[in-house]
Amino acid sequence: MRRDTFLKSLAALAAAGSLPLSAQAAVAIKMMLPANPGGGWDTTGRALGKALQDAGVASSVTYDNKGGAAGAIGLAQFINASRGDPNALMVMGAVMLGGIITGKPPVNLSQATPIARLTSEYNVFVLPANSPFKTMADVVAQLKKDPGSVKWGGGSRGSTEHIAAAMIAREVGVDPAKINYVAFRGGGEATAAILGGNVTVGGSGYSEFAEYITAGKMKPIGVTSPQRLKGLNIPTLKEQGINVEIGNWRGVYGAPGITAEQRKALTAMVEKAVKSKAWAEAIQKNDWTPAWLAGDEFANFVDQEFASLRATMVKSGMV
């Protein structure tokens, strides 16, 4: 084969995403973060972007924050603007599934391409430092007395902390439809509301509240894990007599309409990134639990999670 013909063939294979990862040049990745800055998806996406560069598979990463409607606004933009783009990624997770169930947006996650689950994290409930309440039992007592007087602050409607709050109400004998849940477009807004005492109790992944808990600006009163989180003295809801357990996982999707080979190449890039030093540092810093699951196994997991969350939300009176 002539050299020029060989090079043209090589370029065509690279463009189609058919070359082994080692034979492809690092690419420019476009990362959709379907939430405002400061929250879990934002932190996850930027950590992944850094890891993609650290692993040498991305030459650059650009980020687009588009918050609102539990990620549905960002999802719609991703689906409509990224079709066929083999270098586009979108961060998503359990919260997006809950938002789709409650909000019924015109777009659906099934229109995009599942790549991989990255991490899992449990929710922690916290009180502002100056709260008159001291424990989850205090919050529950007030909830039973006057459900509307307890303001639960957290992510978008349908988020895991919203579902957990409804489950807590149900478990203690309060109508979940009567809870006063205040939804925020991003983790930064929710954190500010908690620190300012504008909500009674706040919920999110531990990583979003860690620095404020450590500084004594928030008091943790319960975590949604089956056992206490390693190294943290925070009681589970279960050990406090409230039978609630729910996890918050996060992952990434590719654009609609990419080929099987492009999906395979993108998955390989992400897999290489999560083995990088930068990702290991992010896992440790944010107290995330690695939860790698890729390909069709991840797609099946999302389908099962969707069905499970819908059942839980129906039982809790949310839909």
Side-chain angles (χ1 to χ4, degrees):
M1 183 184 292
R2 288 170 50 191
R3 184 175 182 274
D4 59 343
T5 303
F6 171 74
L7 291 174
K8 286 178 181 177
S9 300
L10 197 65
L13 284 169
S18 300
L19 284 175
L21 190 63
S22 59
Q24 297 182 42
V27 298
I29 293 291
K30 287 166 279 189
M31 187 88 68
M32 166 57 71
L33 307 174
N36 287 353
W41 285 348
D42 182 68
T43 304
T44 300
R46 292 178 190 276
L48 179 61
K50 187 175 186 299
L52 286 163
Q53 291 177 286
D54 186 63
V57 293
S59 58
S60 64
V61 182
T62 54
Y63 305 95
D64 187 6
N65 284 88
K66 193 68 63 176
I73 293 174
L75 173 63
Q77 179 172 312
F78 185 73
I79 287 172
N80 294 325
S82 301
R83 182 169 298 278
D85 186 345
N87 301 325
L89 284 171
M90 178 189 69
V91 179
M92 50 72 69
V95 172
M96 184 173 283
L97 305 191
I100 290 172
I101 292 167
T102 57
K104 300 179 179 65
V107 292
N108 200 287
L109 197 53
S110 62
Q111 294 171 261
T113 305
I115 298 297
R117 185 183 66 190
L118 303 174
T119 63
S120 182
E121 188 176 28
Y122 289 101
N123 289 104
V124 61
F125 285 102
V126 298
L127 298 171
N130 61 352
S131 172
F133 303 127
K134 303 301 178 188
T135 64
M136 180 61 79
D138 294 339
V139 173
V140 167
Q142 183 62 29
L143 186 68
K144 289 180 176 180
K145 182 180 178 181
D146 182 3
S149 68
V150 177
K151 287 186 179 180
W152 302 81
S156 302
R157 178 174 168 77
S159 63
T160 50
E161 56 266 30
H162 184 190
I163 298 169
M167 292 171 73
I168 290 170
R170 187 193 72 209
E171 288 297 319
V172 301
V174 173
D175 182 354
K178 292 183 179 179
I179 67 168
N180 183 1
Y181 184 81
V182 183
F184 294 94
R185 289 168 63 92
E189 293 177 16
T191 296
I194 297 163
L195 292 173
N198 297 319
V199 295
T200 310
V201 56
S204 190
Y206 175 78
S207 62
E208 292 188 40
F209 293 157
E211 65 176 291
Y212 305 103
I213 291 172
T214 302
K217 295 180 179 179
M218 293 181 182
K219 179 178 175 55
I221 57 172
V223 65
T224 62
S225 55
Q227 294 91 29
R228 291 195 180 200
L229 300 179
K230 186 178 179 181
L232 301 175
N233 188 28
I234 306 173
T236 67
L237 294 174
K238 284 191 168 184
E239 70 183 81
Q240 298 180 75
I242 304 170
N243 188 28
V244 170
E245 177 187 330
I246 185 170
N248 183 15
W249 56 268
R250 299 185 181 110
V252 284
Y253 265 56
I258 61 174
T259 67
E261 285 299 322
Q262 288 170 338
R263 178 189 181 190
K264 184 178 178 181
L266 198 53
T267 303
M269 288 173 63
V270 174
E271 185 172 14
K272 192 168 183 180
V274 301
K275 294 177 180 177
S276 70
K277 180 181 178 182
W279 185 253
E281 290 172 349
I283 288 285
Q284 183 176 8
K285 177 184 176 182
N286 295 291
D287 287 299
W288 292 334
T289 299
W292 177 259
L293 190 66
D296 291 339
E297 288 183 334
F298 175 52
N300 292 335
F301 166 79
V302 172
D303 290 342
Q304 292 165 8
E305 277 287 287
F306 196 89
S308 176
L309 274 176
R310 179 183 288 280
T312 297
M313 293 167 79
V314 167
K315 192 175 179 181
S316 297
M318 295 178 64
V319 290

